[in-house]
Amino acid sequence: MLYLKTHIKSLFKLVFIICAMLILNKITFAQPIEYLIKKILSQDESINSSKILIEKSKSDVSSAWSAYTPKINLTVPLGREVLINNDSANTDLSFYELDAKLTQNIYDFGATSSKINIAKNQLELSKISSDNVKSSKILEALSAYLNYMKSYNVLNFAKESENRIKSVTRLENEKVARGAGLASNVLQSKARLAGARSIRVRFEGDLAISKNRFFNVFREIPTDFTTFKEPSLPINLLPVSEEEAIRIAKNNNIALKLSSLNLKNSQIKIKGTKAKFLPSLKAVAQYKNKRNVAGLDGTEVDHTYKIEMSYPISIGGPFGLFYKENADYKSSMSQYMATKYNHDKLERDLEESIRNSWQTKSIAKQNYEFLENQANISGEFFDLAMKEVKLGNRQLIDILSSETAYINAKSSAANAKNDYQLAVYQLLFAIGVLDENI
């Protein structure tokens, strides 16, 4: 009796372990797009690098603000001083000196504020660039995921078609063996079978390429296809019209935002170069404690309080005074004009890109619907032809053409559907609304 109880307990443990392993296996190989995108956002090197650049930009802002804070400079020389004098006694003294100088920037005509504003804009640039990297990775992930699903499905279509043509070829061979078939039908079916095998091999290559891309993006090999789930298209996020898409893109497009900030930085740099033509004012407080310095035995204490104006002026070149300052100002103006032209061109190019993306999406949708309808009709024709073959109203070899048309239509429909899905995501990316919440 005790042996039986022990045996039952061991059996229950074994069943529990097996169930746990099955559940763990399911979790390990489950590959829905939500899980994979979450994994990318936490592990991708470029995304993590962009986050670090944000922290760097924050530190740069703090560093720029430090120009407004007071600064203290401590100097403590010490040693032995030997003076040989002509008209007085020589001295040989150990000395030290404490020099503490406190400075506070009062006014510099916008030079410091320009540096701070540039640092703030750079922080904003880093944040927008990080969003851009994230959106690009999401689009890349969706593309790799959908392309793999498409390649897998198309290969299955090709395999099914090849198996059906094999069946026709086998039946034609049997008919010829019984003396009821035609040798030409056998040759024709074998030719179609060779073509089907060629298509299957080509699609196997496409799947291998899609698998390599999948691994490069997600860092794992796709395994059980039953765990894949086609993501729902966020049609509700699409603008209602082409003009609405352009309006949203001008407000949200990441590339345009980056260009706008670069243009703003160029304007701020002009202000900074203008400030170089003017002096800067500082408040200075200085304390000195000198012991046995300059051959004087004893201690000397000095206190100094002053307002100090600094006015560096470069001389030379074709401009005479302010040679470097003029060159810097002209350089900043040229940089601003170049950035302005590039920004205007980018805005025009963006409008064209949105219009093209809108048309691509619309055409891809219509193409998918037509090809899907064609595939359904071809499938119905194939089923009807098979019924006619069974009734003796059509030769078996006649369905090879319908089989080829059917598999071509199914493959074209799958490609068109994939193009439509990617066109939707590409449009959302272009108008700047593609993020992890999609």
Side-chain angles (χ1 to χ4, degrees):
M1 189 68 178
L2 182 60
Y3 172 77
L4 182 60
K5 288 182 178 180
T6 304
H7 184 70
I8 292 174
K9 286 182 180 179
S10 300
L11 184 60
F12 273 118
K13 288 181 180 179
L14 181 61
V15 171
F16 175 78
I17 292 172
I18 292 174
C19 291
M21 291 179 66
L22 289 174
I23 294 173
L24 181 62
N25 182 69
K26 189 69 175 178
I27 294 173
T28 302
F29 294 104
Q31 294 174 311
I33 187 63
E34 296 84 1
Y35 158 76
L36 293 171
I37 287 179
K38 185 177 180 180
K39 176 183 175 183
I40 285 181
L41 295 180
S42 63
Q43 298 181 6
D44 184 77
E45 296 90 346
S46 56
I47 292 178
N48 291 331
S49 175
S50 67
K51 293 177 181 178
I52 293 174
L53 287 177
I54 292 176
E55 296 304 317
K56 175 187 177 299
S57 297
K58 290 180 179 179
S59 298
D60 290 340
V61 172
S62 298
S63 176
W65 271 107
S66 68
Y68 279 135
T69 60
K71 296 173 180 59
I72 185 168
N73 184 31
L74 297 176
T75 305
V76 186
L78 55 89
R80 190 167 186 83
E81 183 182 61
V82 178
L83 295 180
I84 300 175
N85 304 306
N86 293 328
D87 300 328
S88 60
N90 297 335
T91 59
D92 183 359
L93 300 171
S94 296
F95 79 96
Y96 72 84
E97 181 177 354
L98 171 63
D99 186 351
K101 185 176 183 180
L102 183 68
T103 59
Q104 171 64 57
N105 184 28
I106 298 177
Y107 193 67
D108 56 11
F109 297 91
T112 298
S113 62
S114 297
K115 293 177 182 178
I116 293 174
N117 289 332
I118 289 175
K120 287 180 177 179
N121 283 342
Q122 192 60 47
L123 173 59
E124 190 65 22
L125 277 169
S126 299
K127 291 179 179 179
I128 295 175
S129 296
S130 180
D131 292 339
N132 185 39
V133 171
K134 187 184 297 184
S135 297
S136 298
K137 283 297 175 181
I138 292 173
L139 181 62
E140 186 179 0
L142 288 165
S143 177
Y145 192 86
L146 291 172
N147 279 328
Y148 178 80
M149 291 188 68
K150 181 260 297 182
S151 298
Y152 188 94
N153 289 328
V154 168
L155 177 58
N156 277 345
F157 297 153
K159 288 179 178 179
E160 292 171 2
S161 177
E162 181 183 355
N163 290 332
R164 285 194 291 267
I165 294 176
K166 280 181 181 179
S167 299
V168 173
T169 304
R170 185 172 60 253
L171 292 173
E172 288 293 335
N173 278 324
E174 292 174 357
K175 288 171 65 177
V176 170
R178 295 195 306 267
L182 298 174
S184 59
N185 286 348
V186 175
L187 292 176
Q188 186 178 359
S189 63
K190 286 184 176 180
R192 292 296 177 89
L193 179 59
R197 285 172 173 167
S198 173
I199 293 174
R200 186 253 304 162
V201 169
R202 176 162 59 86
F203 288 156
E204 284 177 343
D206 292 343
L207 180 62
I209 292 172
S210 298
K211 183 181 291 186
N212 293 336
R213 183 61 185 161
F214 189 99
F215 178 76
N216 179 269
V217 173
F218 299 112
R219 307 300 169 85
E220 60 182 79
I221 297 175
T223 50
D224 185 5
F225 189 74
T226 59
T227 64
F228 280 71
K229 181 182 178 182
E230 188 174 286
S232 300
L233 278 180
I235 303 297
N236 59 310
L237 296 178
L238 289 174
V240 295
S241 66
E242 186 177 305
E243 297 303 322
E244 178 70 7
I246 293 173
R247 187 190 66 79
I248 294 174
K250 288 184 177 181
N251 291 328
N252 295 335
N253 181 265
I254 295 176
L256 196 62
K257 284 184 177 180
L258 293 173
S259 178
S260 297
L261 283 172
N262 284 327
L263 183 62
K264 189 182 293 184
N265 272 346
S266 298
Q267 292 174 317
I268 294 173
K269 286 179 181 177
I270 293 175
K271 182 179 178 182
T273 55
K274 285 182 178 179
K276 293 181 180 180
F277 289 94
L278 300 168
S280 61
L281 298 176
K282 293 181 180 179
V284 180
Q286 190 171 16
Y287 168 82
K288 288 185 179 182
N289 187 314
K290 297 183 286 186
R291 175 74 176 176
N292 300 336
V293 174
L296 299 177
D297 189 11
T299 300
E300 178 183 347
V301 177
D302 297 335
H303 295 269
T304 304
Y305 306 96
K306 60 183 177 179
I307 300 295
E308 183 176 283
M309 183 185 77
S310 177
Y311 202 171
I313 301 174
S314 61
I315 303 174
F319 306 112
L321 297 179
F322 299 106
Y323 172 50
K324 182 179 183 303
E325 289 76 10
N326 269 300
D328 289 344
Y329 175 72
K330 289 191 173 184
S331 174
S332 64
M333 286 294 297
S334 298
Q335 181 63 45
Y336 169 75
M337 294 304 300
T339 306
K340 181 69 169 62
Y341 286 135
N342 289 334
H343 178 76
D344 293 343
K345 184 178 185 302
L346 179 62
E347 194 168 5
R348 291 197 308 273
D349 291 345
L350 175 64
E351 183 172 341
E352 179 188 5
S353 175
I354 296 300
R355 293 189 188 278
N356 290 340
S357 296
W358 186 270
Q359 290 302 316
T360 299
K361 184 264 299 180
S362 301
I363 292 171
K365 181 181 181 182
Q366 295 177 47
N367 191 38
Y368 161 61
E369 291 172 349
F370 289 143
L371 288 173
E372 182 72 13
N373 187 42
Q374 180 189 4
N376 293 334
I377 294 172
S378 298
E380 292 173 3
F381 176 80
F382 179 78
D383 294 337
L384 183 60
M386 285 297 296
K387 291 178 181 178
E388 292 176 351
V389 168
K390 292 178 181 178
L391 295 173
N393 297 329
R394 184 186 291 271
Q395 290 191 22
L396 194 59
I397 193 66
D398 292 340
I399 71 168
L400 290 177
S401 296
S402 63
E403 168 61 30
T404 302
Y406 176 61
I407 185 59
N408 287 338
K410 289 285 288 183
S411 300
S412 297
N415 283 315
K417 181 181 181 181
N418 187 66
D419 291 342
Y420 170 60
Q421 291 172 321
L422 292 179
V424 169
Y425 288 118
Q426 180 63 48
L427 179 59
L428 293 174
F429 175 76
I431 64 177
V433 297
L434 184 67
D435 55 26
E436 64 269 26
N437 297 321
I438 295 293

